[in-house]
Amino acid sequence: MVVVAALVPACAAAWLVWDATSGPDDPGRNGDLPQNVRPHRSAAASAPSSAAPSSGAAKPLAGKVVVLDPGHNAQNSRHTSEINRLVDIGTARKECDTTGTATNAGYAEAVFTLDVSRRARALLEARGATVRLTYDGDRAYGPCIDERARIGNKAKADAVVSVHGDGSAAGNRGFHVILPAPVHRGIADTRTISGPSKLLGTALKRHFAAETGTRPSNYIGGGTGLDVRRDLGGLNLSTRPKVLIECGNMRDPKDAVLMTSPAWRQRAAEGIADGISAFLEDRE
């Protein structure tokens, strides 16, 4: 979708948003992608789509509130005492936050997640949504996982997506979406959001695969691209439909090539934005 040859009028708005968020030395500005990522025509490029409305069209996500939760914080390693503080997640007590992972070359997960979240925000706002980030490079550390959940709850978000990169062993490749298990313990109660969250996660999985050209995880989820967990505070404490996406494994050299590519990160943002859009529009 971001390769120059694949541009058509239906996705011109998304291109302009991406071009505005790329720097002059960004290789993605020239449509460059790693050689193993094939150009493709997405659904938005092959047919009229609400993903990129024309300037005169009604914005399909007007009135919707989306919260994007970029995982970790690049400054967390300087605040170990603060992020190691335990917080209540209903099923257990866990660290406030962690430092996250990085590629073997040192590209940090926190840098990746913030970049992708900002790109997705621009795309969703172009479709009319009100978008809030739990963290926008404006904090010394955190926020803690319980606060991340509260931000989405307080915003009365129609959808919340936490953006991450995994730190598994080399050879483990692909993305997966984590869904909240039905939990009713302590301060956690996800019983009313587990169903809608599954719909959100399924839409996100479908569109992320289509936009990025990457496969679901070969090491989690049995090839489905979906995983259900009850031990993640950001999901346990949410009262709004919420999922977490591990966009790839940053410790695998092949996935790392993708995740360090600005053009691929734009595709990742498009997949996230399209998945959220599909979920919200289906619920109308």
Side-chain angles (χ1 to χ4, degrees), residues 98-142:
T98 65
T99 58
T101 189
T103 66
N104 292 334
Y107 179 64
E109 179 187 0
V111 176
F112 169 83
T113 63
L114 186 55
D115 180 64
V116 171
S117 297
R118 286 170 169 170
R119 292 171 185 264
R121 174 177 61 186
L123 293 164
L124 290 163
E125 287 180 339
R127 302 172 196 184
T130 298
V131 183
R132 180 173 180 185
L133 269 58
T134 60
Y135 158 71
D136 197 9
D138 51 356
R139 296 179 61 134
Y141 65 90

Side-chain angles (χ1 to χ4, degrees), residues 16-199:
L16 290 173
V17 168
W18 173 57
D19 187 65
T21 60
S22 301
D25 298 322
D26 188 335
R29 289 174 64 88
N30 298 319
D32 297 336
L33 285 168
Q35 291 183 352
N36 59 334
V37 180
R38 292 177 296 175
H40 70 290
R41 283 175 63 89
S42 68
S46 59
S49 168
S50 61
S54 65
S55 58
K59 294 189 175 183
L61 300 186
K64 300 297 184 182
V65 177
V66 175
V67 171
L68 298 174
D69 178 26
H72 311 290
N73 182 324
Q75 305 303 316
N76 275 355
S77 61
R78 300 179 181 178
H79 298 272
T80 54
S81 61
E82 291 91 344
I83 68 169
N84 286 335
R85 177 175 62 86
L86 298 181
V87 299
D88 186 2
I89 68 165
T91 57
R93 292 181 66 82
K94 293 189 71 172
E95 293 84 357
C96 153
D97 202 1
T98 65
T99 58
T101 189
T103 66
N104 292 334
Y107 179 64
E109 179 187 0
V111 176
F112 169 83
T113 63
L114 186 55
D115 180 64
V116 171
S117 297
R118 286 170 169 170
R119 292 171 185 264
R121 174 177 61 186
L123 293 164
L124 290 163
E125 287 180 339
R127 302 172 196 184
T130 298
V131 183
R132 180 173 180 185
L133 269 58
T134 60
Y135 158 71
D136 197 9
D138 51 356
R139 296 179 61 134
Y141 65 90
C144 294
I145 52 178
D146 55 343
E147 183 182 354
R148 291 173 186 270
R150 287 196 298 271
I151 290 170
N153 297 345
K154 185 176 180 180
K156 298 182 179 179
D158 297 289
V160 186
V161 173
S162 187
V163 181
H164 284 256
D166 209 1
S168 187
N172 291 342
R173 298 199 61 196
F175 72 92
H176 63 279
V177 180
I178 302 176
L179 315 176
V183 171
H184 184 213
R185 183 176 173 184
I187 63 172
D189 188 352
T190 63
R191 292 174 295 175
T192 61
I193 67 156
S194 59
S197 296
K198 184 176 181 180
L199 296 176

